[in-house]
Amino acid sequence: MTLENLNLGELSAQEQLEIDGGGKSFWEKTVWGYAASQIIDNWEEVKSSWRQGWADGGNH
């Protein structure tokens, strides 16, 4: 049995994202979840910034 026999077609990538909630989980849609996901996704940059801030804080 094929999709055509059932009068169905494949979903596009955009349709799949819409069905899955736009590609974001419930957690990522909340303010705290969004902030946490950004920190996790950019951890190396965040860590580097904290280290630089800590080092600069001792020079004032």
Side-chain angles (χ1 to χ4, degrees):
M1 186 169 286
T2 64
L3 291 175
E4 290 81 22
N5 290 347
L6 298 172
N7 199 25
L8 299 173
E10 292 184 35
L11 295 175
S12 69
Q14 181 62 35
E15 291 170 323
Q16 290 177 7
L17 281 175
E18 289 174 9
I19 289 171
D20 290 337
K24 293 183 180 180
S25 69
F26 172 77
W27 172 249
E28 291 176 319
K29 291 179 184 178
T30 66
V31 172
W32 290 109
Y34 177 76
S37 70
Q38 292 302 303
I39 290 171
I40 291 167
D41 290 346
N42 300 298
W43 177 244
E44 289 302 317
E45 185 177 334
V46 170
K47 186 172 61 172
S48 173
S49 296
W50 282 344
R51 285 183 177 166
Q52 185 64 40
W54 181 267
D56 290 346
N59 295 330
H60 293 275

